[in-house]
Amino acid sequence: MTINRRTLMLASGTILTPALLGTVGSAPAQTGPAAPVGNGQPPKPRFRFDDVVKKASEALNVPFDINPAPLPEPIARLDFDTWRDIRFKPDKAFFNQPGSPFRLQLFHPGFLYNRPMTVNLIRDGIPTPVPYAANLFDYGRVKVERPLPVGLGFAGFRLHAPLNDPRVHDELISFLGASYFRFLSRDQRYGLSARGLAINTGRKEGEEFPVFTDVWIETPDADADRVTLYALMQSASLTGAFQFVVFPGPETVVEVVATVFARQPVARLGLAPLTSMFLAGENDQRHSDDYRPELHDSDGLLIHSGSGEWLWRPLRNPKEVETSAFLDTNVRGFGLMQRDRTFEHYQDLDLAYERRPGYWIEPHENWGEGQIELIEIPTSDETNDNIVAFWRPKAPLEPGQNLTIRYRMRSLSGTADLNPGGMALNTFRTRARALGSGETPPAGSTRFIIDFAGGDLAFQMLAPQSVQIVASASVGKVTRAALMPNPSIQGFRAMIDIEAPPGQLTDLRAFLKAGSRVLTETWTYPWRAE
């Protein structure tokens, strides 16, 4: 399934561990501190995450209507351009009191966003729904003759904060469409998106998109360094309660807690899903004759496995839908990354692909057995999201069970601070040719060229003969592996010649070492011999 970014983005594994799996009614919940007690009076009840968990549990008893009620006219007839013409008035932003570090704006329903979200503001522990009001929006060319109902709701919302300039409130995080959201750190531009959950993603039977139907946003104090919000998720298969605590800054962090209840068996559940776009890169340029050399929001999947190994899997734009699975137990982290930060590789003055963030997921507890799934979907258009990655638990979620996970999300402009070792910076593929020795490679063999940089590789360049490349192929054979210093990146260039039967799929792996010491992450790449 291909998701259009023009609409949604504009404006490996037995049974789950006890920490994750429970029964309905016993879901662990993350709560804040109790309200202070004064004058001998009992504390006032405060709306907290427990309340959303309760709502999610109770919603199991009410069938979810997958077909939302029609929007009133003329909102129901809006196309993309007319919907985009309706804009929230900045002077109507919530949390607009003097000194407040945050601002809240709302998206108008319409176009694809035909299931309105109920937005509630929490003040002094008491939630109050925000009524729809026409004076919140500038309608541009759109004419609305009759008043719309106050209970109409909103398509989503976004929060602003002084991210790049202490005098300016920049967009920090946005929730719009199904369970999609995205957020920024300093000096970044929107690219990939995150989602609450994924169900049956990439399956022929069709994907199910859970939706955030209700949100509650805590009113931040004047000196707040974070903002907390809660969300109720519903779909035909499940319900869920989410807590997001957003910390803006040079590196924005979002702490997530989610408790999910099954209405029916969910065999293919994706946790902490990420969605991105890859059209063309230095390793895959088949689909583009554009003047811009590369077109992607992310160029690789980075995994920190439960065993401690770091894996880098370059992304591709395949000829048909392909799913890669990385079996693991208690994965330590994973994310879709934009590692290439060189403007000349993109040449796009408007879209600034070199400033797109990568999202890194760090579980706060053991997630048990399962797998990272990477789904790559063919696309010929840079407006289509065609890359999805998530953690899939080995055990399905059954009715009567619940699942609670806690994890941290970081919006990164690079990956050097994650892995102290060297990283695979570039991947190229070409026909194998004779090296300087004059030795002719076998006919039909293919050469992969990988640039490794960072970590201790600049130091190792002083004695390059001590560095070795370890390369392997699951099918076929490595006929030659060579390594040479690459001063331009203060690292090494590896060349691997592969011979495999035509049409055969093989998984390639390579890393550098010095003696018994591993110097780099493991580069891994699936390739079908031609």
Side-chain angles (χ1 to χ4, degrees):
M1 171 169 284
T2 302
I3 300 163
N4 192 295
R5 300 170 62 252
R6 185 172 184 259
T7 56
L8 285 177
M9 298 185 63
L10 182 71
S12 287
T14 67
I15 298 198
L16 295 177
T17 62
L20 294 179
L21 192 58
T23 58
V24 172
S26 64
Q30 176 127 333
T31 62
V37 179
N39 300 323
Q41 298 296 318
K44 296 180 180 179
R46 301 181 63 87
F47 188 91
R48 293 186 278 188
F49 182 55
D50 297 33
D51 298 288
V52 189
V53 173
K54 182 179 179 182
K55 290 178 181 293
S57 178
E58 292 172 343
L60 289 170
N61 302 317
V62 182
F64 180 71
D65 189 353
I66 61 174
N67 299 310
L71 292 173
E73 296 291 345
I75 302 304
R77 299 196 307 268
L78 295 177
D79 60 17
F80 173 74
D81 291 322
T82 52
W83 172 79
R84 188 177 59 171
D85 211 35
I86 303 177
R87 301 181 183 274
F88 193 89
K89 296 177 180 178
D91 62 331
K92 298 291 186 179
F94 298 91
F95 312 149
N96 201 15
Q97 62 269 29
S100 173
F102 296 99
R103 300 287 187 271
L104 171 66
Q105 297 187 13
L106 305 172
F107 292 107
H108 200 283
F111 184 44
L112 295 180
Y113 311 111
N114 57 358
R115 186 186 292 275
M117 169 192 292
T118 299
V119 178
N120 303 269
L121 302 186
I122 304 173
R123 185 183 295 274
D124 297 326
I126 307 300
T128 304
V130 178
Y132 173 87
N135 65 359
L136 295 176
F137 297 94
D138 180 346
Y139 284 80
R141 298 166 294 167
V142 179
K143 303 300 181 183
V144 180
E145 303 296 340
R146 297 180 180 180
L148 298 173
V150 295
L152 176 62
F154 305 93
F157 65 93
R158 57 186 178 183
L159 286 161
H160 295 69
L163 195 60
N164 300 294
D165 186 325
R167 302 162 297 178
V168 178
H169 284 77
D170 299 304
E171 186 166 330
L172 167 66
I173 188 169
S174 171
F175 286 74
L176 179 64
S179 68
Y180 285 83
F181 65 97
R182 52 187 184 158
F183 61 103
L184 296 171
S185 295
R186 187 170 298 168
D187 196 35
Q188 292 179 344
R189 296 276 293 273
Y190 275 141
L192 81 168
S193 296
R195 298 160 64 179
L197 293 173
I199 301 175
N200 291 333
T201 305
R203 301 298 99 189
K204 292 182 179 179
E205 60 268 27
E207 183 169 3
E208 180 179 323
F209 288 91
V211 297
F212 288 138
T213 58
D214 302 77
V215 297
W216 297 262
I217 306 171
E218 295 268 10
T219 300
D221 297 331
D223 59 350
D225 64 349
R226 71 198 71 179
V227 63
T228 301
L229 60 102
Y230 313 101
L232 174 65
M233 170 184 284
Q234 298 203 58
S235 79
S237 297
L238 52 77
T239 67
F242 283 74
Q243 174 181 278
F244 301 91
V245 184
V246 186
F247 297 82
E251 179 186 292
T252 296
V253 173
V254 180
E255 296 284 355
V256 183
V257 184
T259 296
V260 182
F261 301 88
R263 280 192 166 107
Q264 58 191 39
V266 185
R268 305 189 67 86
L269 178 63
L271 305 181
L274 304 174
T275 301
S276 192
M277 181 277 294
F278 183 95
L279 177 62
E282 80 272 357
N283 62 307
D284 188 349
Q285 297 180 323
R286 295 176 297 110
H287 298 271
S288 177
D289 58 0
D290 201 292
Y291 77 93
R292 297 167 295 175
E294 301 188 34
L295 294 164
H296 50 75
D297 287 332
S298 307
D299 55 7
L301 169 67
L302 183 64
I303 299 173
H304 191 194
S305 72
S307 66
E309 183 182 24
W310 289 89
L311 295 170
W312 175 253
R313 162 62 154 80
L315 298 178
R316 305 165 304 152
N317 185 358
K319 295 180 180 179
E320 57 187 27
V321 176
E322 294 195 10
T323 299
S324 301
F326 302 84
L327 300 176
D328 204 358
T329 301
N330 299 330
V331 64
R332 301 186 189 185
F334 69 94
L336 292 175
M337 297 294 153
Q338 184 76 315
R339 185 169 273 181
D340 191 336
R341 296 286 163 180
T342 303
F343 166 78
E344 287 76 15
H345 294 174
Y346 304 100
Q347 292 291 348
D348 197 311
L349 294 173
D350 297 321
L351 298 180
Y353 282 111
E354 72 279 1
R355 294 171 60 189
R356 304 297 171 97
Y359 288 168
W360 180 246
I361 308 294
E362 295 174 329
H364 280 319
E365 70 271 293
N366 292 335
W367 282 8
E369 291 185 89
Q371 60 192 40
I372 299 292
E373 282 196 10
L374 172 66
I375 300 172
E376 297 167 301
I377 304 169
T379 186
S380 58
D381 190 337
E382 65 186 295
T383 66
N384 290 329
D385 277 348
N386 64 319
I387 304 294
V388 186
F390 50 80
W391 171 260
R392 180 185 167 193
K394 181 178 182 179
L397 187 63
E398 302 286 353
Q401 295 179 331
N402 64 62
L403 171 72
T404 294
I405 58 171
R406 299 176 177 86
Y407 58 95
R408 173 179 294 124
M409 300 184 65
R410 299 164 61 188
S411 182
L412 304 178
S413 294
T415 62
D417 66 326
L418 294 175
N419 177 12
M423 60 183 178
L425 192 61
N426 300 309
T427 300
F428 306 95
R429 180 168 64 91
T430 185
R431 179 174 57 85
R433 297 174 173 83
L435 296 176
S437 62
E439 182 181 356
T440 301
S445 58
T446 298
R447 175 166 298 162
F448 287 86
I449 301 171
I450 308 104
D451 285 331
F452 289 94
D456 203 32
L457 294 184
F459 173 78
Q460 296 293 335
M461 287 181 65
L462 300 173
Q465 68 278 3
S466 64
V467 180
Q468 299 173 294
I469 179 173
V470 180
S472 62
S474 62
V475 176
K477 60 181 179 179
V478 176
T479 60
R480 180 190 287 112
L483 192 65
M484 62 185 64
N486 186 346
S488 66
I489 60 170
Q490 290 295 292
F492 289 82
R493 172 161 289 183
M495 290 180 290
I496 306 168
D497 289 352
I498 305 295
E499 186 179 10
Q504 184 65 56
L505 180 65
T506 181
D507 288 316
L508 311 176
R509 290 169 60 94
F511 65 91
L512 305 186
K513 69 174 187 176
S516 61
R517 180 187 171 203
V518 174
L519 298 174
T520 68
E521 65 193 9
T522 298
W523 170 89
T524 180
Y525 200 80
W527 172 64
R528 190 176 300 278
E530 298 176 350

PDB file of all heavy atoms in Angstrom, residues 447-466:
ATOM      1  N   ARG A 447      29.848  -5.962  -8.686  1.00  0.00           N
ATOM      2  CA  ARG A 447      30.698  -5.349  -7.663  1.00  0.00           C
ATOM      3  C   ARG A 447      29.879  -4.376  -6.821  1.00  0.00           C
ATOM      4  O   ARG A 447      29.164  -3.517  -7.348  1.00  0.00           O
ATOM      5  CB  ARG A 447      31.871  -4.615  -8.300  1.00  0.00           C
ATOM      6  CG  ARG A 447      32.754  -3.847  -7.297  1.00  0.00           C
ATOM      7  CD  ARG A 447      34.070  -3.445  -7.940  1.00  0.00           C
ATOM      8  NE  ARG A 447      34.822  -4.636  -8.337  1.00  0.00           N
ATOM      9  CZ  ARG A 447      35.831  -4.625  -9.214  1.00  0.00           C
ATOM     10  NH1 ARG A 447      36.184  -3.495  -9.793  1.00  0.00           N
ATOM     11  NH2 ARG A 447      36.458  -5.743  -9.525  1.00  0.00           N
ATOM     12  N   PHE A 448      29.974  -4.513  -5.516  1.00  0.00           N
ATOM     13  CA  PHE A 448      29.421  -3.562  -4.566  1.00  0.00           C
ATOM     14  C   PHE A 448      30.574  -2.780  -3.941  1.00  0.00           C
ATOM     15  O   PHE A 448      31.595  -3.373  -3.545  1.00  0.00           O
ATOM     16  CB  PHE A 448      28.609  -4.277  -3.490  1.00  0.00           C
ATOM     17  CG  PHE A 448      27.293  -4.799  -3.988  1.00  0.00           C
ATOM     18  CD1 PHE A 448      27.209  -6.051  -4.595  1.00  0.00           C
ATOM     19  CD2 PHE A 448      26.142  -4.036  -3.868  1.00  0.00           C
ATOM     20  CE1 PHE A 448      26.012  -6.527  -5.071  1.00  0.00           C
ATOM     21  CE2 PHE A 448      24.936  -4.506  -4.343  1.00  0.00           C
ATOM     22  CZ  PHE A 448      24.865  -5.748  -4.948  1.00  0.00           C
ATOM     23  N   ILE A 449      30.395  -1.483  -3.872  1.00  0.00           N
ATOM     24  CA  ILE A 449      31.412  -0.595  -3.310  1.00  0.00           C
ATOM     25  C   ILE A 449      30.800   0.099  -2.102  1.00  0.00           C
ATOM     26  O   ILE A 449      29.755   0.753  -2.222  1.00  0.00           O
ATOM     27  CB  ILE A 449      31.867   0.437  -4.351  1.00  0.00           C
ATOM     28  CG1 ILE A 449      32.437  -0.276  -5.577  1.00  0.00           C
ATOM     29  CG2 ILE A 449      32.899   1.389  -3.757  1.00  0.00           C
ATOM     30  CD1 ILE A 449      32.718   0.645  -6.751  1.00  0.00           C
ATOM     31  N   ILE A 450      31.431  -0.067  -0.957  1.00  0.00           N
ATOM     32  CA  ILE A 450      30.909   0.510   0.287  1.00  0.00           C
ATOM     33  C   ILE A 450      31.979   1.388   0.910  1.00  0.00           C
ATOM     34  O   ILE A 450      33.128   0.954   1.096  1.00  0.00           O
ATOM     35  CB  ILE A 450      30.497  -0.579   1.298  1.00  0.00           C
ATOM     36  CG1 ILE A 450      29.560  -1.592   0.644  1.00  0.00           C
ATOM     37  CG2 ILE A 450      29.822   0.056   2.513  1.00  0.00           C
ATOM     38  CD1 ILE A 450      30.213  -2.893   0.300  1.00  0.00           C
ATOM     39  N   ASP A 451      31.611   2.632   1.210  1.00  0.00           N
ATOM     40  CA  ASP A 451      32.511   3.543   1.921  1.00  0.00           C
ATOM     41  C   ASP A 451      32.210   3.490   3.412  1.00  0.00           C
ATOM     42  O   ASP A 451      31.066   3.736   3.836  1.00  0.00           O
ATOM     43  CB  ASP A 451      32.326   4.979   1.424  1.00  0.00           C
ATOM     44  CG  ASP A 451      32.954   5.204   0.062  1.00  0.00           C
ATOM     45  OD1 ASP A 451      33.935   4.522  -0.252  1.00  0.00           O
ATOM     46  OD2 ASP A 451      32.453   6.075  -0.682  1.00  0.00           O
ATOM     47  N   PHE A 452      33.239   3.177   4.212  1.00  0.00           N
ATOM     48  CA  PHE A 452      33.118   3.159   5.669  1.00  0.00           C
ATOM     49  C   PHE A 452      33.869   4.354   6.241  1.00  0.00           C
ATOM     50  O   PHE A 452      35.017   4.615   5.853  1.00  0.00           O
ATOM     51  CB  PHE A 452      33.701   1.874   6.255  1.00  0.00           C
ATOM     52  CG  PHE A 452      32.886   0.631   5.983  1.00  0.00           C
ATOM     53  CD1 PHE A 452      33.170  -0.182   4.896  1.00  0.00           C
ATOM     54  CD2 PHE A 452      31.832   0.284   6.819  1.00  0.00           C
ATOM     55  CE1 PHE A 452      32.439  -1.326   4.646  1.00  0.00           C
ATOM     56  CE2 PHE A 452      31.087  -0.869   6.577  1.00  0.00           C
ATOM     57  CZ  PHE A 452      31.387  -1.673   5.489  1.00  0.00           C
ATOM     58  N   ALA A 453      33.248   5.071   7.168  1.00  0.00           N
ATOM     59  CA  ALA A 453      33.880   6.248   7.778  1.00  0.00           C
ATOM     60  C   ALA A 453      33.461   6.341   9.234  1.00  0.00           C
ATOM     61  O   ALA A 453      32.501   5.705   9.670  1.00  0.00           O
ATOM     62  CB  ALA A 453      33.477   7.522   7.026  1.00  0.00           C
ATOM     63  N   GLY A 454      34.179   7.173   9.980  1.00  0.00           N
ATOM     64  CA  GLY A 454      33.826   7.416  11.373  1.00  0.00           C
ATOM     65  C   GLY A 454      34.468   6.423  12.321  1.00  0.00           C
ATOM     66  O   GLY A 454      35.269   5.562  11.936  1.00  0.00           O
ATOM     67  N   GLY A 455      34.090   6.530  13.588  1.00  0.00           N
ATOM     68  CA  GLY A 455      34.678   5.655  14.593  1.00  0.00           C
ATOM     69  C   GLY A 455      36.176   5.849  14.679  1.00  0.00           C
ATOM     70  O   GLY A 455      36.670   6.986  14.722  1.00  0.00           O
ATOM     71  N   ASP A 456      36.904   4.754  14.649  1.00  0.00           N
ATOM     72  CA  ASP A 456      38.370   4.786  14.769  1.00  0.00           C
ATOM     73  C   ASP A 456      39.056   4.616  13.417  1.00  0.00           C
ATOM     74  O   ASP A 456      40.264   4.354  13.356  1.00  0.00           O
ATOM     75  CB  ASP A 456      38.817   3.667  15.724  1.00  0.00           C
ATOM     76  CG  ASP A 456      40.171   3.941  16.357  1.00  0.00           C
ATOM     77  OD1 ASP A 456      40.485   5.136  16.580  1.00  0.00           O
ATOM     78  OD2 ASP A 456      40.912   2.981  16.629  1.00  0.00           O
ATOM     79  N   LEU A 457      38.307   4.791  12.324  1.00  0.00           N
ATOM     80  CA  LEU A 457      38.876   4.494  11.014  1.00  0.00           C
ATOM     81  C   LEU A 457      39.934   5.497  10.586  1.00  0.00           C
ATOM     82  O   LEU A 457      40.893   5.133   9.886  1.00  0.00           O
ATOM     83  CB  LEU A 457      37.768   4.416   9.962  1.00  0.00           C
ATOM     84  CG  LEU A 457      36.772   3.259  10.135  1.00  0.00           C
ATOM     85  CD1 LEU A 457      35.782   3.234   8.990  1.00  0.00           C
ATOM     86  CD2 LEU A 457      37.517   1.916  10.235  1.00  0.00           C
ATOM     87  N   ALA A 458      39.808   6.762  10.971  1.00  0.00           N
ATOM     88  CA  ALA A 458      40.850   7.742  10.628  1.00  0.00           C
ATOM     89  C   ALA A 458      42.182   7.335  11.242  1.00  0.00           C
ATOM     90  O   ALA A 458      43.242   7.462  10.613  1.00  0.00           O
ATOM     91  CB  ALA A 458      40.428   9.128  11.089  1.00  0.00           C
ATOM     92  N   PHE A 459      42.160   6.839  12.474  1.00  0.00           N
ATOM     93  CA  PHE A 459      43.373   6.354  13.126  1.00  0.00           C
ATOM     94  C   PHE A 459      43.910   5.122  12.404  1.00  0.00           C
ATOM     95  O   PHE A 459      45.122   4.987  12.179  1.00  0.00           O
ATOM     96  CB  PHE A 459      43.060   6.035  14.587  1.00  0.00           C
ATOM     97  CG  PHE A 459      44.181   5.383  15.330  1.00  0.00           C
ATOM     98  CD1 PHE A 459      45.254   6.123  15.804  1.00  0.00           C
ATOM     99  CD2 PHE A 459      44.174   4.012  15.561  1.00  0.00           C
ATOM    100  CE1 PHE A 459      46.297   5.514  16.487  1.00  0.00           C
ATOM    101  CE2 PHE A 459      45.202   3.395  16.238  1.00  0.00           C
ATOM    102  CZ  PHE A 459      46.271   4.144  16.703  1.00  0.00           C
ATOM    103  N   GLN A 460      43.032   4.222  12.009  1.00  0.00           N
ATOM    104  CA  GLN A 460      43.459   2.993  11.349  1.00  0.00           C
ATOM    105  C   GLN A 460      44.063   3.253   9.980  1.00  0.00           C
ATOM    106  O   GLN A 460      44.823   2.422   9.459  1.00  0.00           O
ATOM    107  CB  GLN A 460      42.270   2.039  11.211  1.00  0.00           C
ATOM    108  CG  GLN A 460      41.688   1.557  12.539  1.00  0.00           C
ATOM    109  CD  GLN A 460      42.655   0.666  13.299  1.00  0.00           C
ATOM    110  OE1 GLN A 460      43.533   0.021  12.718  1.00  0.00           O
ATOM    111  NE2 GLN A 460      42.511   0.637  14.614  1.00  0.00           N
ATOM    112  N   MET A 461      43.769   4.401   9.376  1.00  0.00           N
ATOM    113  CA  MET A 461      44.359   4.728   8.079  1.00  0.00           C
ATOM    114  C   MET A 461      45.872   4.882   8.172  1.00  0.00           C
ATOM    115  O   MET A 461      46.573   4.767   7.151  1.00  0.00           O
ATOM    116  CB  MET A 461      43.759   6.019   7.532  1.00  0.00           C
ATOM    117  CG  MET A 461      42.328   5.875   7.018  1.00  0.00           C
ATOM    118  SD  MET A 461      41.709   7.435   6.373  1.00  0.00           S
ATOM    119  CE  MET A 461      42.806   7.688   4.962  1.00  0.00           C
ATOM    120  N   LEU A 462      46.410   5.112   9.359  1.00  0.00           N
ATOM    121  CA  LEU A 462      47.857   5.222   9.530  1.00  0.00           C
ATOM    122  C   LEU A 462      48.543   3.885   9.298  1.00  0.00           C
ATOM    123  O   LEU A 462      49.733   3.844   8.968  1.00  0.00           O
ATOM    124  CB  LEU A 462      48.180   5.754  10.929  1.00  0.00           C
ATOM    125  CG  LEU A 462      47.612   7.146  11.259  1.00  0.00           C
ATOM    126  CD1 LEU A 462      47.856   7.491  12.715  1.00  0.00           C
ATOM    127  CD2 LEU A 462      48.225   8.185  10.336  1.00  0.00           C
ATOM    128  N   ALA A 463      47.813   2.798   9.492  1.00  0.00           N
ATOM    129  CA  ALA A 463      48.350   1.455   9.234  1.00  0.00           C
ATOM    130  C   ALA A 463      47.275   0.640   8.535  1.00  0.00           C
ATOM    131  O   ALA A 463      46.703  -0.297   9.098  1.00  0.00           O
ATOM    132  CB  ALA A 463      48.778   0.781  10.535  1.00  0.00           C
ATOM    133  N   PRO A 464      46.947   0.984   7.291  1.00  0.00           N
ATOM    134  CA  PRO A 464      45.805   0.355   6.617  1.00  0.00           C
ATOM    135  C   PRO A 464      45.955  -1.142   6.427  1.00  0.00           C
ATOM    136  O   PRO A 464      44.959  -1.850   6.292  1.00  0.00           O
ATOM    137  CB  PRO A 464      45.748   1.090   5.278  1.00  0.00           C
ATOM    138  CG  PRO A 464      47.118   1.653   5.068  1.00  0.00           C
ATOM    139  CD  PRO A 464      47.629   1.977   6.432  1.00  0.00           C
ATOM    140  N   GLN A 465      47.190  -1.643   6.416  1.00  0.00           N
ATOM    141  CA  GLN A 465      47.379  -3.070   6.209  1.00  0.00           C
ATOM    142  C   GLN A 465      46.827  -3.899   7.359  1.00  0.00           C
ATOM    143  O   GLN A 465      46.608  -5.119   7.222  1.00  0.00           O
ATOM    144  CB  GLN A 465      48.870  -3.391   6.011  1.00  0.00           C
ATOM    145  CG  GLN A 465      49.736  -3.179   7.235  1.00  0.00           C
ATOM    146  CD  GLN A 465      50.145  -1.721   7.431  1.00  0.00           C
ATOM    147  OE1 GLN A 465      49.739  -0.840   6.671  1.00  0.00           O
ATOM    148  NE2 GLN A 465      50.974  -1.484   8.429  1.00  0.00           N
ATOM    149  N   SER A 466      46.558  -3.275   8.514  1.00  0.00           N
ATOM    150  CA  SER A 466      46.032  -4.016   9.663  1.00  0.00           C
ATOM    151  C   SER A 466      44.511  -4.167   9.620  1.00  0.00           C
ATOM    152  O   SER A 466      43.926  -4.861  10.450  1.00  0.00           O
ATOM    153  CB  SER A 466      46.421  -3.310  10.967  1.00  0.00           C
ATOM    154  OG  SER A 466      45.815  -2.024  11.044  1.00  0.00           O
TER     155      SER A 466
END
